[in-house]
Amino acid sequence: QVRLVESGGGLVQAGGSLRLSCATSGIAFSASTMGWYRQAPGKQRELVADIIGGGSGRYADSVKDRFTISRDNAGSTVYLQMNSLKPEDTAVYYCNAQHLRFPQLNYWGQGTQVTVSS
């Protein structure tokens, strides 16, 4: 059974930090691109950052130099360290896994709310 479970969201003041985690099971974690997406009310879901098995992360321009994506292949977990948070970072954050060779194997977590107050 495939499971992606996000945690670490919450309410934080502007300038603060949060660390999101996504624990996975039932997927070929090392063979998957792991990504964090977010969706704010009334907006489309957008890519925040992603990372392949042995590479560095790619980031949306809006979060570069503030967010860091990392992964633990042994523990099948992906993280998103978010620093210098802004009110515009408020959204539901979703974890995504997509198999590198078989992109139809594409899975989502249930999401975790991040709210940044001004």
Side-chain angles (χ1 to χ4, degrees), residues 68-99:
T68 303
I69 189 170
S70 60
R71 61 189 293 161
D72 173 7
N73 287 336
S76 299
T77 301
V78 62
Y79 304 95
L80 186 68
Q81 178 66 43
M82 305 186 295
N83 299 328
S84 303
L85 283 160
K86 304 175 181 180
E88 51 263 44
D89 294 319
T90 295
V92 178
Y93 283 70
Y94 296 91
C95 177
N96 174 264
Q98 184 171 45
H99 199 287

Side-chain angles (χ1 to χ4, degrees), residues 8-84:
L11 173 63
V12 65
Q13 288 189 330
S17 298
L18 285 173
R19 189 190 194 208
L20 305 184
S21 300
C22 174
T24 74
S25 60
I27 66 168
F29 186 86
S30 297
S32 298
T33 298
M34 298 302 302
W36 286 98
Y37 290 73
R38 67 186 180 187
Q39 187 166 20
K43 294 188 177 181
Q44 289 190 326
R45 191 173 296 190
E46 63 175 357
L47 175 67
V48 175
D50 64 11
I51 185 169
I52 62 173
S56 58
R58 300 184 307 169
Y59 299 90
D61 287 343
S62 58
V63 306
K64 278 181 183 176
D65 300 323
R66 299 190 297 123
F67 291 9
T68 303
I69 189 170
S70 60
R71 61 189 293 161
D72 173 7
N73 287 336
S76 299
T77 301
V78 62
Y79 304 95
L80 186 68
Q81 178 66 43
M82 305 186 295
N83 299 328
S84 303

Side-chain angles (χ1 to χ4, degrees), residues 94-108:
Y94 296 91
C95 177
N96 174 264
Q98 184 171 45
H99 199 287
L100 284 164
R101 287 188 62 194
F102 307 106
Q104 68 272 22
L105 300 180
N106 190 341
Y107 305 106
W108 293 91

